[in-house]
Amino acid sequence: MPGSDPVHYRSVDFPRGDLWVFTYGSLMWDPGFAHIAAEPGLLRGYHRAFCIYSSRYRGTATKPGLVLGLDPGGACKGIVYRIAAADKTVALEALWQREMRRGVYLPRLLPVLTPGGQRNALAFVANRTHSGYAGRMAIDDAARIIAMCCGERGPNVDYLVNTLCHLDALGVNDQHLDQLLARVRACGKGAA
């Protein structure tokens, strides 16, 4: 499987001291690591997209759901968490266990604009060569998948709704995700 051998965090050249992590999906509301600060952040050059198949957390191996990845182009608003240097190893272990198990993401240190200035932050970018990369799909196809799938962390639609709630709290209006949720809800009505 292309891209199935994920990079280990020890091979990434992280800066000394505290570490910043840019989050744009489930890590916004459930980071799973200790942090000492959080700020809204803007990452240019990538956009948030339902472009990753989830065969565990939001789907199964036989019925994969969809989760977010960072795909090239545009910009993405999210939350940047600051991890204390003393907690960095434990946080990276947790992040790698959650995000890097399949190698469907590529860890990158990218410049993120925050109210406190520019931060060089760890971000998980979609690995376009991986078989788990769904690519760009029609909104109705994505909506059908999200409406029907469920995994270890619950229904796929909950992931979409939680993302929208947290973006709303940041003052971010993502029209594409709003349209996607409307289509998901329409799929649910059609199935009833």
Side-chain angles (χ1 to χ4, degrees), residues 72-83:
C76 181
K77 290 183 179 178
I79 298 174
V80 183
Y81 289 103
R82 183 179 178 185
I83 300 168

Side-chain angles (χ1 to χ4, degrees), residues 106-117:
L106 300 171
R108 297 286 184 258
L109 288 170
L110 300 170
V112 178
L113 300 174
T114 75

Side-chain angles (χ1 to χ4, degrees), residues 8-135:
H8 194 277
Y9 75 85
R10 288 187 189 102
S11 67
V12 179
D13 189 20
F14 291 110
R16 293 180 188 258
D18 296 349
L19 176 68
W20 293 88
V21 178
F22 178 73
T23 65
Y24 54 91
S26 64
L27 289 173
M28 286 192 300
W29 69 85
D30 181 21
F33 53 82
H35 55 279
I36 56 175
E39 298 180 287
L42 173 66
L43 174 64
R44 296 190 189 280
Y46 294 91
H47 66 281
R48 174 186 296 107
F50 274 91
C51 63
I52 303 292
Y53 287 116
S54 175
S55 57
R56 182 175 174 198
Y57 293 138
R58 297 299 174 168
T60 65
T62 57
K63 196 173 187 179
L66 287 173
V67 293
L68 293 166
L70 289 173
D71 235 0
C76 181
K77 290 183 179 178
I79 298 174
V80 183
Y81 289 103
R82 183 179 178 185
I83 300 168
D87 298 327
K88 192 161 48 174
T89 299
V90 171
L92 288 170
E93 289 283 354
L95 283 165
W96 251 249
Q97 179 66 21
R98 180 170 165 180
E99 302 297 319
M100 295 295 296
R101 291 172 60 132
R102 297 186 305 147
V104 73
Y105 294 108
L106 300 171
R108 297 286 184 258
L109 288 170
L110 300 170
V112 178
L113 300 174
T114 75
Q118 183 171 295
R119 312 287 186 204
N120 223 10
L122 172 63
F124 295 98
V125 175
N127 181 350
R128 294 176 137 208
T129 65
H130 194 282
S131 61
Y133 176 70

Side-chain angles (χ1 to χ4, degrees), residues 120-188:
N120 223 10
L122 172 63
F124 295 98
V125 175
N127 181 350
R128 294 176 137 208
T129 65
H130 194 282
S131 61
Y133 176 70
R136 185 179 181 146
M137 63 175 60
I139 193 168
D140 288 330
D141 294 337
R144 276 190 292 279
I145 291 170
I146 293 169
M148 298 186 318
C149 289
C150 186
E152 288 179 14
R153 292 194 175 201
N156 204 167
V157 68
D158 289 356
Y159 178 93
L160 171 58
V161 169
N162 280 333
T163 300
L164 281 166
C165 287
H166 284 79
L167 291 175
D168 187 52
L170 287 172
V172 176
N173 178 17
D174 189 317
Q175 292 181 348
H176 178 73
L177 293 188
D178 286 334
Q179 291 171 359
L180 181 58
L181 181 58
R183 302 283 178 94
V184 168
R185 289 182 171 152
C187 288

